[in-house]
Amino acid sequence: MSCQRFFGLFILLFFSGGENYAQEGRSIDSLLQVVNKSVGGIDKVDALNHLYEEYLKKDTAQAMVYVRAALREAELIDYKKGIVRSCNYYGRQYRSKGKYPEAIEILLKALRISKSIGYLKGLAGSHSQLGHIYFDQGKFAQCADHYFKAYDAAEQANSEWEMAIGLTSIGKVYGVQGEFQKAIDAFEEALAVYEVINDLSGIAGCLNNMAIDYLNLGQAEKAFDFHSRALEIKRQMLVADPSRQNKSLLASSLTNIGVMYSEHDATEKAILYYQEALDIFEEIGNQYGESVVLVNLGHMQLKGNNSDSAFAYLHKAIEIAMGISSLNTVQVAAQYLSDGYLEMDDHVNALKYYKVFANMRDSLRNEQTDMRLVELQEKYETAQKDKENEVLKSQNAIQELQINQKNNQVYGVLGAAILAITMSLLALMYLRGNAQRKITRVEQKLLRLQMNPHFIFNALIAIQSYTLKNKPGEAAHYIASFAKLMRSILESSRKEYISLDKEIKTLEYYFQLQQLRFEDKFDFKIHLDESIKSKSILIPPMLAQPFIENSLEHGNLQGSEQGRVNCNFFIRHDMLYFELEDNGIGRQESAKNKKMKLKSHQSLATKITEERLSILNKGKRNAIKLKIEDLDLTKEGQTGTKITFSLPLIYNGKDGHLIAKN
């Protein structure tokens, strides 16, 4: 009989749907005292929510009593954070019971409130739980979108624990998309955090999920080892705390070990693990886990030609999965049933369940589409542009300017310029003043912003020149280019690394802006080697900008009738090379013409770049290197300057996390 592989079960970490609201040192008795003594207020709501967390480990029904009371009290006093926490807890409970519509409704409510008050941890919790729901249902495109948003919110909140939860979730999506090594990388990064904070649930979950991906990579021995380590931890956890959560985690591990034994035709051992897992899932009412185990038992019985038992398991699995809208589970079970009935020459039922399988497959395709995770991440990052309201306002001002009467154009251009510059400076000041950033990030961003006062000054002079000459059209064109460049700088200034694709777009904006200002007295060309996947490779933003500014602003191109600047990107020996070459008069001749002025500026540009590189290279095995050459000294009959950066290859990992190629 032709059957597919068994149905693995990823660990979804039931605690990951909300923040870590634990109140250190607060016992259940002390929390109950707060509840009983308080007439109402924030303290009472927080205590009730924390009682939910405590009782969830031992008495789910009592836990729900407390969360209902917390939500009621929070709504009475309009305590929005308390409402969000309670809604996230409700969503988690609805999901665990397979009540997905109710879970989605209340989690969307929590999202709306968190967005309205800028509550980052609440956003992370809601997005995480929504991602889990869509994962259960096999809607992986929506699942990944919510996981990336959850991770982004956790990162902005500087919460390492919730970032680890996000990495675990993203790793699961990489796994179902077939990117097994990327999934393992994500789980390893999350595992490191869990081990530091001694989170046994997180450690066991990562080990379990890594085992699944190692099995998919054909490394069965390694997979068995990771599953065994995870199972040992979970049994210890259950002995120490026989909570519903720990029972669910144990059952998930048992299921996956059963899958491995099934794959190796160790039927008796597989049944033992499956049955223990099924008993636990039935006991705690985890219908998703129950349906997965039933599918695997049915599949195994089909392989053993026990058709009656197989059909019983698979029919029950479909009944449960349909009830909780787990389309992926229904699809797999229906395919097994169709294959089984076909083997028995029961063509009526074979066709019936093939139609069910085909309908589920088509539904999942409509929900999922055939997109890769990098494209999902790009889609999310593009959506984040809506947050840059200040820059978008400047573009709106430009559009309004274009429909104004001619006699108002000059004043409109100046107003739009002032608005764009003011908003940009405010945004940059915010980034500069964010004290919660790590010291190295702050230092790098400060260095990155060194060019802005000089550049903005030049932009104002250009705008003034156009307006004095009564050329509002040129001025409007200049501001439009300026706004695009500032938006690009604002986006990249939030990150230490950006994609090579975005860096190239920023360079194009900068060159186009300077071409407009210098009235096309120079040409530029950006060449990217065909083998380079620019969306996957990451580099520090605006590395070459100070040197481009030297060429354009300080006379390096004055010796050429038509200036030329070439930017080349290529890979050699696992290093990314970025060459910037102009056909100007060269540094030595330019220094003679400008005496010490250029030398001073060139030194400043070099110093800023070297300081940035020093910070970027700190603690790194492979350093970013800078080389500056005068072409008249290296190539006879040729003038100009050549700047070369050599950078270690760094690939786009998990929503901005870096994967360096050794």
Side-chain angles (χ1 to χ4, degrees):
M1 179 175 297
S2 174
C3 290
Q4 296 181 349
R5 299 188 68 177
F6 287 85
F7 200 21
L9 183 66
F10 287 89
I11 298 298
L12 298 184
L13 301 178
F14 282 95
F15 57 84
S16 64
E19 321 176 21
N20 185 9
Y21 302 126
Q23 303 176 24
E24 296 296 333
R26 301 293 295 273
S27 65
I28 289 179
D29 289 341
S30 64
L31 291 167
L32 288 172
Q33 287 178 6
V34 173
V35 171
N36 294 330
K37 289 182 180 179
S38 300
V39 176
I42 291 175
D43 287 344
K44 183 175 181 179
V45 174
D46 288 343
L48 286 167
N49 272 323
H50 190 55
L51 281 167
Y52 161 84
E53 281 282 6
E54 292 298 322
Y55 273 91
L56 185 63
K57 304 171 185 177
K58 58 186 73 176
D59 186 344
T60 304
Q62 186 61 37
M64 290 307 298
V65 170
Y66 288 122
V67 79
R68 280 193 290 269
L71 182 58
R72 183 173 60 250
E73 291 289 338
E75 288 178 336
L76 281 174
I77 63 175
D78 196 29
Y79 175 31
K80 295 189 183 301
K81 285 189 177 181
I83 295 172
V84 169
R85 294 171 183 174
S86 299
C87 287
N88 282 344
Y89 290 149
Y90 258 106
R92 181 165 65 183
Q93 289 305 114
Y94 280 137
R95 172 185 162 253
S96 71
K97 297 293 185 182
K99 297 180 178 180
Y100 293 136
E102 294 91 338
I104 290 172
E105 180 180 1
I106 200 163
L107 289 168
L108 290 177
K109 174 183 176 180
L111 273 183
R112 288 192 296 270
I113 297 173
S114 293
K115 288 179 181 177
S116 70
I117 62 174
Y119 186 24
L120 293 173
K121 288 189 176 182
L123 282 172
S126 301
H127 280 304
S128 183
Q129 271 302 323
L130 285 165
H132 293 342
I133 290 169
Y134 291 124
F135 187 95
D136 290 352
Q137 296 179 329
K139 300 176 181 179
F140 299 122
Q142 292 167 271
C143 163
D145 185 53
H146 282 290
Y147 282 160
F148 280 124
K149 288 177 180 177
Y151 178 83
D152 185 69
E155 185 178 38
Q156 292 182 54
N158 200 28
S159 173
E160 290 188 351
W161 183 82
E162 286 166 314
M163 287 167 64
I165 294 295
L167 287 168
T168 304
S169 301
I170 291 169
K172 297 198 307 286
V173 183
Y174 275 124
V176 298
Q177 293 285 352
E179 299 282 356
F180 303 124
Q181 189 55 56
K182 286 186 177 181
I184 290 170
D185 292 340
F187 293 135
E188 284 181 341
E189 192 169 347
L191 181 62
V193 178
Y194 291 134
E195 287 176 339
V196 169
I197 62 178
N198 196 31
D199 185 333
L200 294 180
S201 295
I203 293 171
C206 285
L207 292 172
N208 186 95
N209 291 331
M210 289 167 72
I212 295 172
D213 291 311
Y214 278 123
L215 182 62
N216 285 319
L217 288 173
Q219 301 180 36
E221 186 175 345
K222 208 165 190 177
F224 267 113
D225 177 59
F226 276 80
H227 270 316
S228 299
R229 288 164 59 189
L231 183 62
E232 182 180 354
I233 292 173
K234 290 172 186 178
R235 289 197 186 279
Q236 292 173 2
M237 291 169 56
L238 190 61
V239 171
D241 179 12
S243 64
R244 183 181 186 278
Q245 172 183 308
N246 287 342
K247 289 179 180 179
S248 181
L249 291 172
L250 175 60
S252 298
S253 269
L254 292 167
T255 302
N256 287 310
I257 293 177
V259 168
M260 296 196 66
Y261 279 120
S262 298
E263 292 278 0
H264 289 78
D265 295 324
T267 304
E268 293 183 1
K269 287 186 177 181
I271 290 176
L272 288 175
Y273 282 98
Y274 282 148
Q275 193 59 57
E276 186 178 356
L278 184 61
D279 291 343
I280 294 173
F281 282 135
E282 289 177 343
E283 175 193 344
I284 64 177
N286 185 330
Q287 292 182 302
Y288 174 70
E290 186 180 350
S291 66
V292 169
V293 177
L294 288 168
V295 169
N296 286 335
L297 282 168
H299 184 193
M300 190 170 59
Q301 294 297 333
L302 280 178
K303 288 181 68 177
N305 295 319
N306 299 316
S307 301
D308 291 340
S309 297
F311 293 155
Y313 284 130
L314 293 170
H315 282 299
K316 187 174 181 181
I318 286 181
E319 179 184 353
I320 295 172
M322 288 293 288
I324 60 175
S325 300
S326 181
L327 305 186
N328 194 41
T329 308
V330 175
Q331 178 191 359
V332 176
Q335 184 175 14
Y336 292 159
L337 279 170
S338 178
D339 290 345
Y341 282 120
L342 189 62
E343 288 287 330
M344 296 181 65
D345 293 327
D346 185 345
H347 300 291
V348 174
N349 278 316
L351 178 60
K352 173 185 175 181
Y353 284 101
Y354 182 81
K355 288 181 178 179
V356 174
F357 159 75
N359 287 335
M360 295 300 105
R361 178 194 60 197
D362 293 342
S363 297
L364 287 170
R365 283 178 179 173
N366 291 337
E367 293 287 352
Q368 181 178 343
T369 72
D370 189 21
M371 65 176 69
R372 310 303 294 170
L373 289 181
V374 173
E375 293 170 342
L376 288 170
Q377 191 169 351
E378 287 295 321
K379 174 185 173 184
Y380 168 59
E381 291 175 352
T382 301
Q384 289 298 95
K385 292 179 182 178
D386 293 338
K387 296 180 181 179
E388 308 292 349
N389 292 324
E390 294 87 355
V391 178
L392 292 179
K393 287 179 182 179
S394 70
Q395 291 182 314
N396 290 335
I398 295 168
Q399 293 175 356
E400 293 175 5
L401 173 67
Q402 292 173 344
I403 62 174
N404 285 338
Q405 296 181 359
K406 186 175 181 179
N407 60 342
N408 292 326
Q409 285 182 330
V410 173
Y411 298 106
V413 169
L414 286 171
I418 292 170
L419 178 62
I421 293 165
T422 302
M423 293 303 180
S424 300
L425 286 173
L426 286 173
L428 294 174
M429 287 172 62
Y430 169 78
L431 292 172
R432 185 188 292 267
N434 191 345
Q436 296 182 357
R437 295 289 184 185
K438 295 180 180 179
I439 297 301
T440 54
R441 290 187 180 183
V442 173
E443 291 175 346
Q444 186 182 353
K445 287 183 179 180
L446 289 173
L447 290 172
R448 188 182 304 151
L449 297 177
Q450 291 290 329
M451 49 78 71
N452 284 322
H454 179 70
F455 179 76
I456 292 173
F457 175 78
N458 287 337
L460 283 170
I461 294 298
I463 293 171
Q464 183 185 49
S465 174
Y466 283 124
T467 54
L468 291 175
K469 293 177 182 178
N470 197 23
K471 295 182 178 180
E474 288 86 343
H477 188 187
Y478 189 93
I479 294 172
S481 297
F482 177 77
K484 289 179 181 178
L485 178 62
M486 292 306 296
R487 181 173 66 180
S488 180
I489 292 174
L490 283 169
E491 289 175 353
S492 64
S493 66
R494 294 183 296 123
K495 300 178 180 179
E496 293 179 38
Y497 291 85
I498 62 172
S499 70
L500 178 56
D501 179 65
K502 289 190 176 182
E503 173 69 0
I504 289 173
K505 288 179 182 177
T506 302
L507 289 174
E508 287 175 345
Y509 292 148
Y510 184 75
F511 277 125
Q512 290 167 5
L513 189 65
Q514 295 290 25
Q515 275 187 326
L516 178 66
R517 180 173 167 230
F518 286 102
E519 300 178 345
D520 293 322
K521 290 182 179 179
F522 75 93
D523 298 317
F524 74 92
K525 182 178 180 181
I526 299 176
H527 177 262
L528 183 69
D529 192 271
E530 293 181 356
S531 64
I532 295 177
K533 296 180 180 179
S534 60
K535 290 184 179 180
S536 300
I537 293 177
L538 301 180
I539 68 171
M542 298 295 283
L543 269 181
Q545 188 277 334
F547 299 101
I548 298 173
E549 186 176 356
N550 280 339
S551 295
L552 301 179
E553 303 280 0
H554 299 280
N556 285 17
L557 293 179
Q558 290 179 356
S560 175
E561 293 182 1
Q562 179 68 17
R564 185 183 73 251
V565 181
N566 292 329
C567 298
N568 297 309
F569 294 88
F570 58 91
I571 294 175
R572 295 289 186 275
H573 307 298
D574 287 338
M575 297 288 285
L576 174 67
Y577 285 85
F578 173 16
E579 291 183 350
L580 177 69
E581 184 176 313
D582 66 52
N583 67 336
I585 59 178
R587 292 183 301 165
Q588 293 186 354
E589 188 64 26
S590 181
K592 293 177 184 178
N593 294 344
K594 296 290 184 177
K595 295 183 179 179
M596 295 304 295
K597 183 178 179 181
L598 175 60
K599 182 178 179 182
S600 174
H601 187 86
Q602 176 74 30
S603 298
L604 179 59
T606 305
K607 181 179 179 182
I608 290 174
T609 303
E610 288 176 346
E611 288 179 357
R612 279 193 69 195
L613 296 184
S614 176
I615 293 171
L616 287 167
N617 291 333
K618 190 176 296 182
K620 303 288 178 63
R621 183 171 59 184
N622 295 326
I624 302 174
K625 297 178 182 178
L626 168 65
K627 183 179 181 181
I628 305 174
E629 303 174 81
D630 286 311
L631 295 180
D632 57 342
L633 299 178
T634 59
K635 297 183 180 180
E636 185 176 351
Q638 183 174 345
T639 63
T641 305
K642 181 178 179 181
I643 309 295
T644 303
F645 289 93
S646 59
L647 305 94
L649 281 176
I650 298 178
Y651 290 97
N652 200 346
K654 285 67 69 177
D655 194 23
H657 280 257
L658 312 181
I659 303 174
K661 185 168 183 179
N662 295 322

